[in-house]
Amino acid sequence: MNAANFWSTKRFTGFPCTHRQWRSDAHCKFVHGYSREFYFEFACSTLSPEGWVVDFGGLKSVKAWLDHMFDHTFLASDDDPSMQAFRELDLQGVIQLRTFANVGMEGTAEHVYEHVNAMIQELTGGRAWVTLVEVRENEKNSAIYRPVGERQRQG
């Protein structure tokens, strides 16, 4: 990846979903929900012909993916011991089940980075990339994922 000369940011808000941290000994082990929001930093070394890092109007596929994953959905970690019950609730139309490795804020930030960075690279022909994803569960708590190369670049 080239060194970045330009950055831009985008925030997507209003994604009400539920999850649980089944490994927790505290109240987080229970199903609970938040209205998540996602903050992205994008970078590039060369601007688009329009003079942009990314075309914010062209992020419809990113918004559609976020909607699919996080809008009125139930998130479960792949290894949740209650997965069979969740799958049955999904089949019954009670929940919209989405699974990935770690549905906590940190794991969500990494999961979102992996998907959205690939989308941004495709949308820009590799010219731009994601340098940071922040996932906020409420006004007090968030987690940030920044790929190793970006941490080194940021110094």
Side-chain angles (χ1 to χ4, degrees), residues 47-55 127:
L47 295 174
S48 72
E50 299 83 7
W52 303 327
V53 175
V54 296
D55 175 4
R127 185 185 53 74

Side-chain angles (χ1 to χ4, degrees), residues 6 8 11 19 34 37 42 45 49 58 71 75 84 90 93 107 119 139 155:
F6 303 98
S8 64
R11 185 176 310 274
H19 75 281
Y34 298 106
E37 66 179 64
F42 307 104
S45 56
D71 187 13
L75 311 175
Q84 185 56 40
D90 185 56
M119 296 169 87
E139 65 281 351

